[in-house]
Amino acid sequence: NPPKEIVEATDPSNPDNVERRDYLQIEKDGWAGKKEIGDIPVTVISNRFSKLEIEAAEFPEERPGMRDNVQNQKGWLVLSPRAKQVVVTTGHAVEEKDPQLVIDQIVAAVKASKG
């Protein structure tokens, strides 16, 4: 149940959605189609929200599901027996707020894939 502003911003008919993709449907399809992709390294980076972080971060108010974010994203760990979850408190745009963490996780996955 995303907020109204997210629904409107990601609507394929929204002029700002230059790719005209139905991003919410893509997300729903992704969750529905979760299945193991093989014995490969997979890293799920999840943001842990707290009330204080929500007020100080990009979300002015707590929204449904924020407190369950880390637990809910454990669902992606079915992708591989080698999947792991890394929990951060950077907010949604981890790649912008902590690019080194993302780089380190990519490098670790590549190294792990070489066995």
Side-chain angles (χ1 to χ4, degrees):
N1 298 320
K4 180 182 175 185
E5 59 270 16
I6 298 294
V7 173
E8 291 171 356
T10 60
D11 187 306
S13 64
N14 184 322
D16 292 333
N17 183 348
V18 295
E19 294 178 347
R20 303 288 183 249
R21 291 186 184 194
D22 187 343
Y23 290 103
L24 294 178
Q25 188 60 52
I26 291 168
E27 184 76 14
K28 289 176 186 176
D29 291 347
W31 276 99
K34 286 185 302 190
K35 63 181 179 180
E36 189 172 323
I37 58 175
D39 186 11
I40 60 172
V42 172
T43 303
V44 177
I45 300 176
S46 302
N47 187 53
R48 179 180 312 284
F49 292 95
S50 71
K51 185 68 172 164
L52 182 59
E53 290 162 343
I54 292 164
E55 290 169 358
E58 63 252 25
F59 299 104
E61 61 189 48
E62 187 169 356
R63 295 206 169 95
M66 282 188 168
R67 290 185 186 269
D68 301 328
N69 187 57
V70 171
Q71 185 62 36
N72 289 343
Q73 290 189 355
K74 287 182 185 292
W76 290 110
L77 299 179
V78 302
L79 295 176
S80 169
R82 294 169 60 192
K84 69 176 185 172
Q85 184 178 36
V86 174
V87 179
V88 300
T89 58
T90 58
H92 183 70
V94 180
E95 74 285 357
E96 293 175 11
K97 305 241 172 100
D98 192 352
Q100 191 60 54
L101 176 124
V102 176
I103 291 167
D104 292 345
Q105 293 304 314
I106 291 169
V107 169
V110 169
K111 286 181 181 176
S113 71
K114 294 181 179 179

